Amino acid sequence: IVVSYEFHDIDEGVSIRVSDHHDNCLLRFDCFDCRPVWIVSPHREFLITDSVRSAVDWAIEQIEHSLVLYLSLAGYPTPHGLSETYTRPAIEKIKAAVAEVSAETELEATG
């Protein structure tokens, strides 16, 4: 799982990518300011609705509770042994990485 802060045209925000052991992106949450989306393959992009208060928090919650569902939507077989034992430490790392990239971006913006 890789967390980064990305800038695209007029949009920007936190991007969370879930990849396999060959570094192929399986699932991506682009929690951008103007158009937040989640992507399960290069051709299947879904808008994160306006009813979601924080796209980042929503994305973390989806990874924490529904990762297997999202991977199956993307057409990937359910990874053997994928359980809360694996996802709990990953979620803590995601939260820490989101805080870090957000703080770095805030520092860059304020000079």
Side-chain angles (χ1 to χ4, degrees), residues 26-54:
L26 307 176
L27 173 65
R28 188 172 87 221
F29 293 90
D30 287 339
C31 305
F32 295 161
D33 295 334
C34 298
R35 189 172 185 276
V37 296
W38 58 274
I39 302 160
V40 292
S41 74
H43 306 292
R44 295 183 65 196
E45 183 175 295
F46 303 91
L47 190 63
I48 298 172
T49 67
D50 291 338
S51 64
V52 172
R53 175 173 255 159
S54 166

PDB file of all heavy atoms in Angstrom, residues 26-54:
ATOM      1  N   LEU A  26      -3.862  -2.687  -7.881  1.00  0.00           N
ATOM      2  CA  LEU A  26      -5.113  -3.433  -7.875  1.00  0.00           C
ATOM      3  C   LEU A  26      -6.305  -2.529  -7.581  1.00  0.00           C
ATOM      4  O   LEU A  26      -7.402  -2.751  -8.078  1.00  0.00           O
ATOM      5  CB  LEU A  26      -5.065  -4.538  -6.822  1.00  0.00           C
ATOM      6  CG  LEU A  26      -3.883  -5.496  -6.872  1.00  0.00           C
ATOM      7  CD1 LEU A  26      -3.947  -6.459  -5.702  1.00  0.00           C
ATOM      8  CD2 LEU A  26      -3.843  -6.235  -8.198  1.00  0.00           C
ATOM      9  N   LEU A  27      -6.074  -1.525  -6.770  1.00  0.00           N
ATOM     10  CA  LEU A  27      -7.143  -0.660  -6.283  1.00  0.00           C
ATOM     11  C   LEU A  27      -6.532   0.681  -5.929  1.00  0.00           C
ATOM     12  O   LEU A  27      -5.433   0.745  -5.381  1.00  0.00           O
ATOM     13  CB  LEU A  27      -7.768  -1.315  -5.041  1.00  0.00           C
ATOM     14  CG  LEU A  27      -8.799  -0.557  -4.245  1.00  0.00           C
ATOM     15  CD1 LEU A  27     -10.060  -0.324  -5.069  1.00  0.00           C
ATOM     16  CD2 LEU A  27      -9.153  -1.341  -2.982  1.00  0.00           C
ATOM     17  N   ARG A  28      -7.238   1.752  -6.279  1.00  0.00           N
ATOM     18  CA  ARG A  28      -6.713   3.082  -5.976  1.00  0.00           C
ATOM     19  C   ARG A  28      -7.846   3.984  -5.516  1.00  0.00           C
ATOM     20  O   ARG A  28      -8.936   3.957  -6.071  1.00  0.00           O
ATOM     21  CB  ARG A  28      -6.053   3.670  -7.223  1.00  0.00           C
ATOM     22  CG  ARG A  28      -5.317   4.952  -6.943  1.00  0.00           C
ATOM     23  CD  ARG A  28      -4.523   5.409  -8.145  1.00  0.00           C
ATOM     24  NE  ARG A  28      -5.359   6.205  -9.017  1.00  0.00           N
ATOM     25  CZ  ARG A  28      -5.352   6.122 -10.339  1.00  0.00           C
ATOM     26  NH1 ARG A  28      -4.568   5.272 -10.957  1.00  0.00           N
ATOM     27  NH2 ARG A  28      -6.128   6.897 -11.062  1.00  0.00           N
ATOM     28  N   PHE A  29      -7.571   4.745  -4.487  1.00  0.00           N
ATOM     29  CA  PHE A  29      -8.493   5.768  -4.011  1.00  0.00           C
ATOM     30  C   PHE A  29      -7.805   7.110  -4.210  1.00  0.00           C
ATOM     31  O   PHE A  29      -6.807   7.396  -3.564  1.00  0.00           O
ATOM     32  CB  PHE A  29      -8.805   5.574  -2.520  1.00  0.00           C
ATOM     33  CG  PHE A  29      -9.583   4.319  -2.222  1.00  0.00           C
ATOM     34  CD1 PHE A  29      -8.929   3.133  -1.938  1.00  0.00           C
ATOM     35  CD2 PHE A  29     -10.968   4.330  -2.213  1.00  0.00           C
ATOM     36  CE1 PHE A  29      -9.631   1.980  -1.654  1.00  0.00           C
ATOM     37  CE2 PHE A  29     -11.689   3.173  -1.930  1.00  0.00           C
ATOM     38  CZ  PHE A  29     -11.018   1.994  -1.649  1.00  0.00           C
ATOM     39  N   ASP A  30      -8.319   7.924  -5.130  1.00  0.00           N
ATOM     40  CA  ASP A  30      -7.804   9.277  -5.334  1.00  0.00           C
ATOM     41  C   ASP A  30      -8.730  10.224  -4.588  1.00  0.00           C
ATOM     42  O   ASP A  30      -9.818  10.561  -5.060  1.00  0.00           O
ATOM     43  CB  ASP A  30      -7.756   9.629  -6.822  1.00  0.00           C
ATOM     44  CG  ASP A  30      -6.643   8.904  -7.552  1.00  0.00           C
ATOM     45  OD1 ASP A  30      -5.684   8.461  -6.881  1.00  0.00           O
ATOM     46  OD2 ASP A  30      -6.716   8.798  -8.790  1.00  0.00           O
ATOM     47  N   CYS A  31      -8.297  10.624  -3.417  1.00  0.00           N
ATOM     48  CA  CYS A  31      -9.119  11.452  -2.530  1.00  0.00           C
ATOM     49  C   CYS A  31      -8.833  12.925  -2.822  1.00  0.00           C
ATOM     50  O   CYS A  31      -8.336  13.668  -1.981  1.00  0.00           O
ATOM     51  CB  CYS A  31      -8.826  11.106  -1.077  1.00  0.00           C
ATOM     52  SG  CYS A  31      -9.030   9.352  -0.718  1.00  0.00           S
ATOM     53  N   PHE A  32      -9.157  13.330  -4.044  1.00  0.00           N
ATOM     54  CA  PHE A  32      -8.852  14.677  -4.513  1.00  0.00           C
ATOM     55  C   PHE A  32      -9.934  15.661  -4.066  1.00  0.00           C
ATOM     56  O   PHE A  32     -11.061  15.281  -3.762  1.00  0.00           O
ATOM     57  CB  PHE A  32      -8.716  14.700  -6.032  1.00  0.00           C
ATOM     58  CG  PHE A  32      -7.560  13.893  -6.548  1.00  0.00           C
ATOM     59  CD1 PHE A  32      -7.522  13.492  -7.865  1.00  0.00           C
ATOM     60  CD2 PHE A  32      -6.501  13.524  -5.727  1.00  0.00           C
ATOM     61  CE1 PHE A  32      -6.456  12.763  -8.362  1.00  0.00           C
ATOM     62  CE2 PHE A  32      -5.434  12.789  -6.206  1.00  0.00           C
ATOM     63  CZ  PHE A  32      -5.415  12.405  -7.529  1.00  0.00           C
ATOM     64  N   ASP A  33      -9.554  16.924  -4.058  1.00  0.00           N
ATOM     65  CA  ASP A  33     -10.449  17.974  -3.580  1.00  0.00           C
ATOM     66  C   ASP A  33     -11.707  18.124  -4.445  1.00  0.00           C
ATOM     67  O   ASP A  33     -12.806  18.206  -3.930  1.00  0.00           O
ATOM     68  CB  ASP A  33      -9.722  19.319  -3.521  1.00  0.00           C
ATOM     69  CG  ASP A  33      -8.601  19.323  -2.500  1.00  0.00           C
ATOM     70  OD1 ASP A  33      -8.670  18.546  -1.529  1.00  0.00           O
ATOM     71  OD2 ASP A  33      -7.645  20.100  -2.678  1.00  0.00           O
ATOM     72  N   CYS A  34     -11.534  18.171  -5.770  1.00  0.00           N
ATOM     73  CA  CYS A  34     -12.670  18.442  -6.657  1.00  0.00           C
ATOM     74  C   CYS A  34     -13.398  17.188  -7.118  1.00  0.00           C
ATOM     75  O   CYS A  34     -14.613  17.188  -7.234  1.00  0.00           O
ATOM     76  CB  CYS A  34     -12.201  19.211  -7.891  1.00  0.00           C
ATOM     77  SG  CYS A  34     -11.502  20.813  -7.496  1.00  0.00           S
ATOM     78  N   ARG A  35     -12.652  16.140  -7.419  1.00  0.00           N
ATOM     79  CA  ARG A  35     -13.272  14.941  -7.986  1.00  0.00           C
ATOM     80  C   ARG A  35     -12.662  13.680  -7.363  1.00  0.00           C
ATOM     81  O   ARG A  35     -11.827  13.020  -7.974  1.00  0.00           O
ATOM     82  CB  ARG A  35     -13.086  14.936  -9.493  1.00  0.00           C
ATOM     83  CG  ARG A  35     -13.891  13.847 -10.179  1.00  0.00           C
ATOM     84  CD  ARG A  35     -13.836  14.007 -11.699  1.00  0.00           C
ATOM     85  NE  ARG A  35     -14.709  13.038 -12.329  1.00  0.00           N
ATOM     86  CZ  ARG A  35     -14.359  11.787 -12.604  1.00  0.00           C
ATOM     87  NH1 ARG A  35     -13.153  11.353 -12.303  1.00  0.00           N
ATOM     88  NH2 ARG A  35     -15.212  10.972 -13.184  1.00  0.00           N
ATOM     89  N   PRO A  36     -13.078  13.326  -6.160  1.00  0.00           N
ATOM     90  CA  PRO A  36     -12.546  12.100  -5.538  1.00  0.00           C
ATOM     91  C   PRO A  36     -13.142  10.859  -6.196  1.00  0.00           C
ATOM     92  O   PRO A  36     -14.338  10.806  -6.467  1.00  0.00           O
ATOM     93  CB  PRO A  36     -12.972  12.229  -4.085  1.00  0.00           C
ATOM     94  CG  PRO A  36     -14.181  13.094  -4.109  1.00  0.00           C
ATOM     95  CD  PRO A  36     -14.015  14.023  -5.277  1.00  0.00           C
ATOM     96  N   VAL A  37     -12.291   9.879  -6.496  1.00  0.00           N
ATOM     97  CA  VAL A  37     -12.742   8.650  -7.148  1.00  0.00           C
ATOM     98  C   VAL A  37     -12.044   7.449  -6.533  1.00  0.00           C
ATOM     99  O   VAL A  37     -11.012   7.567  -5.896  1.00  0.00           O
ATOM    100  CB  VAL A  37     -12.459   8.654  -8.674  1.00  0.00           C
ATOM    101  CG1 VAL A  37     -13.242   9.743  -9.371  1.00  0.00           C
ATOM    102  CG2 VAL A  37     -10.977   8.786  -8.959  1.00  0.00           C
ATOM    103  N   TRP A  38     -12.651   6.272  -6.756  1.00  0.00           N
ATOM    104  CA  TRP A  38     -11.954   5.018  -6.476  1.00  0.00           C
ATOM    105  C   TRP A  38     -11.942   4.235  -7.764  1.00  0.00           C
ATOM    106  O   TRP A  38     -12.862   4.294  -8.564  1.00  0.00           O
ATOM    107  CB  TRP A  38     -12.555   4.258  -5.299  1.00  0.00           C
ATOM    108  CG  TRP A  38     -13.987   3.870  -5.378  1.00  0.00           C
ATOM    109  CD1 TRP A  38     -15.056   4.638  -5.030  1.00  0.00           C
ATOM    110  CD2 TRP A  38     -14.523   2.617  -5.796  1.00  0.00           C
ATOM    111  NE1 TRP A  38     -16.217   3.941  -5.206  1.00  0.00           N
ATOM    112  CE2 TRP A  38     -15.924   2.682  -5.688  1.00  0.00           C
ATOM    113  CE3 TRP A  38     -13.959   1.420  -6.251  1.00  0.00           C
ATOM    114  CZ2 TRP A  38     -16.754   1.632  -6.007  1.00  0.00           C
ATOM    115  CZ3 TRP A  38     -14.797   0.371  -6.568  1.00  0.00           C
ATOM    116  CH2 TRP A  38     -16.171   0.479  -6.444  1.00  0.00           C
ATOM    117  N   ILE A  39     -10.837   3.545  -7.982  1.00  0.00           N
ATOM    118  CA  ILE A  39     -10.587   2.886  -9.253  1.00  0.00           C
ATOM    119  C   ILE A  39     -10.192   1.443  -8.984  1.00  0.00           C
ATOM    120  O   ILE A  39      -9.262   1.179  -8.221  1.00  0.00           O
ATOM    121  CB  ILE A  39      -9.469   3.622 -10.024  1.00  0.00           C
ATOM    122  CG1 ILE A  39      -9.874   5.079 -10.228  1.00  0.00           C
ATOM    123  CG2 ILE A  39      -9.155   2.923 -11.334  1.00  0.00           C
ATOM    124  CD1 ILE A  39      -8.737   6.007 -10.531  1.00  0.00           C
ATOM    125  N   VAL A  40     -10.912   0.501  -9.631  1.00  0.00           N
ATOM    126  CA  VAL A  40     -10.607  -0.911  -9.431  1.00  0.00           C
ATOM    127  C   VAL A  40      -9.909  -1.535 -10.620  1.00  0.00           C
ATOM    128  O   VAL A  40      -9.508  -2.680 -10.567  1.00  0.00           O
ATOM    129  CB  VAL A  40     -11.867  -1.734  -9.056  1.00  0.00           C
ATOM    130  CG1 VAL A  40     -12.358  -1.351  -7.686  1.00  0.00           C
ATOM    131  CG2 VAL A  40     -12.958  -1.591 -10.096  1.00  0.00           C
ATOM    132  N   SER A  41      -9.765  -0.803 -11.682  1.00  0.00           N
ATOM    133  CA  SER A  41      -8.974  -1.229 -12.829  1.00  0.00           C
ATOM    134  C   SER A  41      -8.791   0.012 -13.691  1.00  0.00           C
ATOM    135  O   SER A  41      -9.443   1.024 -13.458  1.00  0.00           O
ATOM    136  CB  SER A  41      -9.668  -2.350 -13.616  1.00  0.00           C
ATOM    137  OG  SER A  41     -10.750  -1.832 -14.350  1.00  0.00           O
ATOM    138  N   PRO A  42      -7.945  -0.048 -14.681  1.00  0.00           N
ATOM    139  CA  PRO A  42      -7.730   1.161 -15.483  1.00  0.00           C
ATOM    140  C   PRO A  42      -9.005   1.711 -16.125  1.00  0.00           C
ATOM    141  O   PRO A  42      -9.077   2.883 -16.442  1.00  0.00           O
ATOM    142  CB  PRO A  42      -6.751   0.701 -16.556  1.00  0.00           C
ATOM    143  CG  PRO A  42      -6.067  -0.479 -15.979  1.00  0.00           C
ATOM    144  CD  PRO A  42      -7.067  -1.131 -15.079  1.00  0.00           C
ATOM    145  N   HIS A  43     -10.020   0.877 -16.284  1.00  0.00           N
ATOM    146  CA  HIS A  43     -11.222   1.323 -16.984  1.00  0.00           C
ATOM    147  C   HIS A  43     -12.460   1.382 -16.115  1.00  0.00           C
ATOM    148  O   HIS A  43     -13.546   1.622 -16.616  1.00  0.00           O
ATOM    149  CB  HIS A  43     -11.481   0.415 -18.185  1.00  0.00           C
ATOM    150  CG  HIS A  43     -10.292   0.314 -19.086  1.00  0.00           C
ATOM    151  ND1 HIS A  43      -9.844   1.372 -19.833  1.00  0.00           N
ATOM    152  CD2 HIS A  43      -9.433  -0.696 -19.312  1.00  0.00           C
ATOM    153  CE1 HIS A  43      -8.769   1.010 -20.512  1.00  0.00           C
ATOM    154  NE2 HIS A  43      -8.501  -0.241 -20.200  1.00  0.00           N
ATOM    155  N   ARG A  44     -12.324   1.147 -14.831  1.00  0.00           N
ATOM    156  CA  ARG A  44     -13.491   1.172 -13.932  1.00  0.00           C
ATOM    157  C   ARG A  44     -13.259   2.188 -12.825  1.00  0.00           C
ATOM    158  O   ARG A  44     -12.661   1.892 -11.811  1.00  0.00           O
ATOM    159  CB  ARG A  44     -13.765  -0.216 -13.368  1.00  0.00           C
ATOM    160  CG  ARG A  44     -14.184  -1.185 -14.475  1.00  0.00           C
ATOM    161  CD  ARG A  44     -14.541  -2.530 -13.964  1.00  0.00           C
ATOM    162  NE  ARG A  44     -15.741  -2.425 -13.117  1.00  0.00           N
ATOM    163  CZ  ARG A  44     -16.110  -3.385 -12.291  1.00  0.00           C
ATOM    164  NH1 ARG A  44     -15.402  -4.485 -12.187  1.00  0.00           N
ATOM    165  NH2 ARG A  44     -17.193  -3.256 -11.559  1.00  0.00           N
ATOM    166  N   GLU A  45     -13.739   3.394 -13.057  1.00  0.00           N
ATOM    167  CA  GLU A  45     -13.559   4.502 -12.130  1.00  0.00           C
ATOM    168  C   GLU A  45     -14.920   4.924 -11.596  1.00  0.00           C
ATOM    169  O   GLU A  45     -15.875   5.061 -12.352  1.00  0.00           O
ATOM    170  CB  GLU A  45     -12.906   5.669 -12.884  1.00  0.00           C
ATOM    171  CG  GLU A  45     -12.598   6.855 -12.031  1.00  0.00           C
ATOM    172  CD  GLU A  45     -11.853   7.924 -12.806  1.00  0.00           C
ATOM    173  OE1 GLU A  45     -10.709   7.666 -13.232  1.00  0.00           O
ATOM    174  OE2 GLU A  45     -12.423   9.000 -12.988  1.00  0.00           O
ATOM    175  N   PHE A  46     -15.000   5.121 -10.281  1.00  0.00           N
ATOM    176  CA  PHE A  46     -16.258   5.473  -9.642  1.00  0.00           C
ATOM    177  C   PHE A  46     -16.075   6.721  -8.789  1.00  0.00           C
ATOM    178  O   PHE A  46     -15.124   6.804  -8.003  1.00  0.00           O
ATOM    179  CB  PHE A  46     -16.753   4.327  -8.748  1.00  0.00           C
ATOM    180  CG  PHE A  46     -16.929   3.035  -9.496  1.00  0.00           C
ATOM    181  CD1 PHE A  46     -15.894   2.122  -9.592  1.00  0.00           C
ATOM    182  CD2 PHE A  46     -18.135   2.750 -10.130  1.00  0.00           C
ATOM    183  CE1 PHE A  46     -16.040   0.937 -10.288  1.00  0.00           C
ATOM    184  CE2 PHE A  46     -18.299   1.564 -10.821  1.00  0.00           C
ATOM    185  CZ  PHE A  46     -17.249   0.656 -10.914  1.00  0.00           C
ATOM    186  N   LEU A  47     -16.980   7.659  -8.937  1.00  0.00           N
ATOM    187  CA  LEU A  47     -16.932   8.890  -8.167  1.00  0.00           C
ATOM    188  C   LEU A  47     -17.288   8.603  -6.709  1.00  0.00           C
ATOM    189  O   LEU A  47     -18.209   7.844  -6.425  1.00  0.00           O
ATOM    190  CB  LEU A  47     -17.938   9.890  -8.755  1.00  0.00           C
ATOM    191  CG  LEU A  47     -17.889  11.311  -8.243  1.00  0.00           C
ATOM    192  CD1 LEU A  47     -16.542  11.955  -8.584  1.00  0.00           C
ATOM    193  CD2 LEU A  47     -19.016  12.119  -8.869  1.00  0.00           C
ATOM    194  N   ILE A  48     -16.536   9.194  -5.794  1.00  0.00           N
ATOM    195  CA  ILE A  48     -16.878   9.123  -4.376  1.00  0.00           C
ATOM    196  C   ILE A  48     -17.908  10.228  -4.150  1.00  0.00           C
ATOM    197  O   ILE A  48     -17.618  11.398  -4.386  1.00  0.00           O
ATOM    198  CB  ILE A  48     -15.642   9.313  -3.472  1.00  0.00           C
ATOM    199  CG1 ILE A  48     -14.618   8.199  -3.730  1.00  0.00           C
ATOM    200  CG2 ILE A  48     -16.050   9.343  -2.002  1.00  0.00           C
ATOM    201  CD1 ILE A  48     -13.285   8.386  -3.025  1.00  0.00           C
ATOM    202  N   THR A  49     -19.098   9.869  -3.738  1.00  0.00           N
ATOM    203  CA  THR A  49     -20.224  10.802  -3.713  1.00  0.00           C
ATOM    204  C   THR A  49     -20.018  11.963  -2.750  1.00  0.00           C
ATOM    205  O   THR A  49     -19.221  11.894  -1.804  1.00  0.00           O
ATOM    206  CB  THR A  49     -21.527  10.087  -3.350  1.00  0.00           C
ATOM    207  OG1 THR A  49     -21.436   9.642  -2.001  1.00  0.00           O
ATOM    208  CG2 THR A  49     -21.788   8.921  -4.274  1.00  0.00           C
ATOM    209  N   ASP A  50     -20.785  13.015  -3.005  1.00  0.00           N
ATOM    210  CA  ASP A  50     -20.737  14.208  -2.159  1.00  0.00           C
ATOM    211  C   ASP A  50     -21.214  13.932  -0.739  1.00  0.00           C
ATOM    212  O   ASP A  50     -20.926  14.710   0.167  1.00  0.00           O
ATOM    213  CB  ASP A  50     -21.604  15.317  -2.758  1.00  0.00           C
ATOM    214  CG  ASP A  50     -21.019  15.865  -4.045  1.00  0.00           C
ATOM    215  OD1 ASP A  50     -19.802  15.720  -4.254  1.00  0.00           O
ATOM    216  OD2 ASP A  50     -21.784  16.447  -4.844  1.00  0.00           O
ATOM    217  N   SER A  51     -21.952  12.837  -0.540  1.00  0.00           N
ATOM    218  CA  SER A  51     -22.453  12.526   0.794  1.00  0.00           C
ATOM    219  C   SER A  51     -21.336  12.076   1.742  1.00  0.00           C
ATOM    220  O   SER A  51     -21.523  12.032   2.944  1.00  0.00           O
ATOM    221  CB  SER A  51     -23.542  11.458   0.726  1.00  0.00           C
ATOM    222  OG  SER A  51     -23.010  10.250   0.229  1.00  0.00           O
ATOM    223  N   VAL A  52     -20.169  11.767   1.173  1.00  0.00           N
ATOM    224  CA  VAL A  52     -19.018  11.371   1.985  1.00  0.00           C
ATOM    225  C   VAL A  52     -18.349  12.642   2.509  1.00  0.00           C
ATOM    226  O   VAL A  52     -17.947  13.504   1.737  1.00  0.00           O
ATOM    227  CB  VAL A  52     -18.021  10.534   1.143  1.00  0.00           C
ATOM    228  CG1 VAL A  52     -16.746  10.289   1.916  1.00  0.00           C
ATOM    229  CG2 VAL A  52     -18.669   9.241   0.699  1.00  0.00           C
ATOM    230  N   ARG A  53     -18.250  12.742   3.803  1.00  0.00           N
ATOM    231  CA  ARG A  53     -17.690  13.957   4.415  1.00  0.00           C
ATOM    232  C   ARG A  53     -16.190  14.086   4.138  1.00  0.00           C
ATOM    233  O   ARG A  53     -15.705  15.147   3.796  1.00  0.00           O
ATOM    234  CB  ARG A  53     -17.948  13.943   5.912  1.00  0.00           C
ATOM    235  CG  ARG A  53     -17.301  15.103   6.628  1.00  0.00           C
ATOM    236  CD  ARG A  53     -17.684  15.182   8.049  1.00  0.00           C
ATOM    237  NE  ARG A  53     -18.622  16.294   8.136  1.00  0.00           N
ATOM    238  CZ  ARG A  53     -19.471  16.466   9.098  1.00  0.00           C
ATOM    239  NH1 ARG A  53     -19.533  15.615  10.077  1.00  0.00           N
ATOM    240  NH2 ARG A  53     -20.269  17.497   9.124  1.00  0.00           N
ATOM    241  N   SER A  54     -15.454  13.017   4.290  1.00  0.00           N
ATOM    242  CA  SER A  54     -14.011  13.023   4.054  1.00  0.00           C
ATOM    243  C   SER A  54     -13.658  11.825   3.187  1.00  0.00           C
ATOM    244  O   SER A  54     -13.778  10.680   3.631  1.00  0.00           O
ATOM    245  CB  SER A  54     -13.246  12.951   5.376  1.00  0.00           C
ATOM    246  OG  SER A  54     -11.890  12.630   5.142  1.00  0.00           O
TER     247      SER A  54
END
